Amino acid sequence: DGGITQSPKYLFRKEGQNVTLSCEQNLNHDAMYWYRQDPGQGLRLIYYSQIVNDFQKGDIAEGYSVSREKKESFPLTVTSAQKNPTAFYLCASSIDGTLSTEAFFGQGTRLTVV
Amino acid sequence: SQQGEEDPQALSIQEGENATMNCSYKTSINNLQWYRQNSGRGLVHLILIRSNEREKHSGRLRVTLDTSKKSSSLLITASRAADTASYFCATRNAGNNRKLIWGLGTSLAVNP
């Protein structure tokens, strides 16, 4: 089946640790996105990539890093510099970066700092 | 910054009733999209309506767009318990800003 897969579903991090969230898509989409969702809030854009080997900061990029070495993969690293990392993280993809068509979402990763 | 603002924030109805959710936005748009999110899951795309369209239908869903009022509505007819979810609107602004701007969502509860 074509789709977008995030792993793991749940992730626990100790303070001071970096963690990497995985996002893989087999939809042959050029554009990929990472969002953060907090309770009672909408989605906030962390990073996005419109093409392989290129990515841009979104609205809340501080404390996060990404890479886009392959078209199908867009991992997100939550670094120790992110002061409040506990949240629900959503990865999405779209055919291209114009967003003239819909975005497809993974099932999310819930990150908890312990 | 949030542009789409949905109202109501929460809606509770009985099965079989219709549910209407509204979304307002601030700037000119290329398109407006509605998504559904079940609790603890990812978002699922429902309908995309372009700025030159006024109404679209998909099954029990009807979306309208009024660009003069910068608003959109999502109507779910003959609701079912399985429609219980949060519904979000997202706007793709006109111009080169290639991001979706998200509202805070409407939480819909359909009671059996």
Side-chain angles (χ1 to χ4, degrees):
Chain A
D1 278 7
I4 182 164
T5 303
Q6 289 185 241
S7 63
K9 189 172 182 179
Y10 299 97
L11 187 56
F12 297 88
R13 188 194 95 170
K14 292 183 180 178
E15 286 195 27
Q17 282 184 337
N18 292 357
V19 288
T20 297
L21 283 60
S22 171
C23 179
E24 303 276 332
Q25 54 97 1
N26 60 3
L27 300 166
N28 200 33
H29 285 175
D30 282 326
M32 297 186 75
Y33 309 84
W34 273 106
Y35 291 97
R36 171 181 172 140
Q37 187 178 32
D38 294 281
Q41 297 198 32
L43 277 66
R44 292 186 289 168
L45 183 64
I46 304 172
Y47 268 98
Y48 64 105
S49 168
Q50 297 188 22
I51 200 166
V52 175
N53 292 322
D54 184 60
F55 51 83
Q56 284 83 40
K57 292 182 179 180
D59 300 316
I60 56 164
E62 185 175 351
Y64 300 97
S65 66
V66 293
S67 63
R68 188 84 188 277
E69 297 174 1
K70 298 187 295 183
K71 186 175 187 177
E72 58 269 24
S73 179
F74 191 41
L76 173 74
T77 297
V78 184
T79 74
S80 57
Q82 170 49 237
K83 297 306 177 191
N84 186 22
T86 294
F88 190 51
Y89 291 86
L90 288 159
C91 180
S93 69
S94 59
I95 289 175
D96 58 34
T98 65
L99 289 168
S100 57
T101 58
E102 69 267 36
F104 291 77
F105 282 81
Q107 290 302 301
T109 293
R110 188 166 297 280
L111 173 64
T112 303
V113 173
V114 295
Chain B
S1 60
Q2 300 292 337
Q3 167 160 271
E5 294 182 8
E6 292 94 334
D7 81 88
Q9 289 187 345
L11 182 60
S12 181
I13 59 174
Q14 297 299 121
E15 248 185 340
E17 293 179 341
N18 295 343
T20 299
M21 288 159 268
N22 303 298
C23 171
S24 60
Y25 57 91
K26 297 186 175 77
T27 63
S28 296
I29 61 170
N30 175 283
N31 66 63
L32 185 146
Q33 305 178 28
W34 284 93
Y35 289 80
R36 164 196 168 122
Q37 183 181 34
N38 286 65
S39 181
R41 307 295 295 273
L43 278 74
V44 174
H45 178 262
L46 297 175
I47 288 184
L48 181 152
I49 187 165
R50 304 188 193 285
S51 59
N52 60 352
E53 297 175 312
R54 291 297 167 258
E55 186 170 314
K56 286 189 85 168
H57 296 254
S58 176
R60 293 183 296 113
L61 306 180
R62 172 178 169 250
V63 167
T64 61
L65 179 66
D66 187 335
T67 52
S68 66
K69 295 181 180 178
K70 293 187 168 58
S71 68
S72 173
S73 67
L74 170 66
L75 168 67
I76 304 174
T77 60
S79 64
R80 306 166 182 168
D83 293 327
T84 295
S86 292
Y87 292 81
F88 293 89
C89 71
T91 53
R92 156 61 162 108
N93 290 350
N96 290 327
N97 186 353
R98 297 184 174 187
K99 298 184 211 177
L100 286 177
I101 309 298
W102 295 85
L104 300 181
T106 291
S107 177
L108 173 66
V110 181
N111 305 304

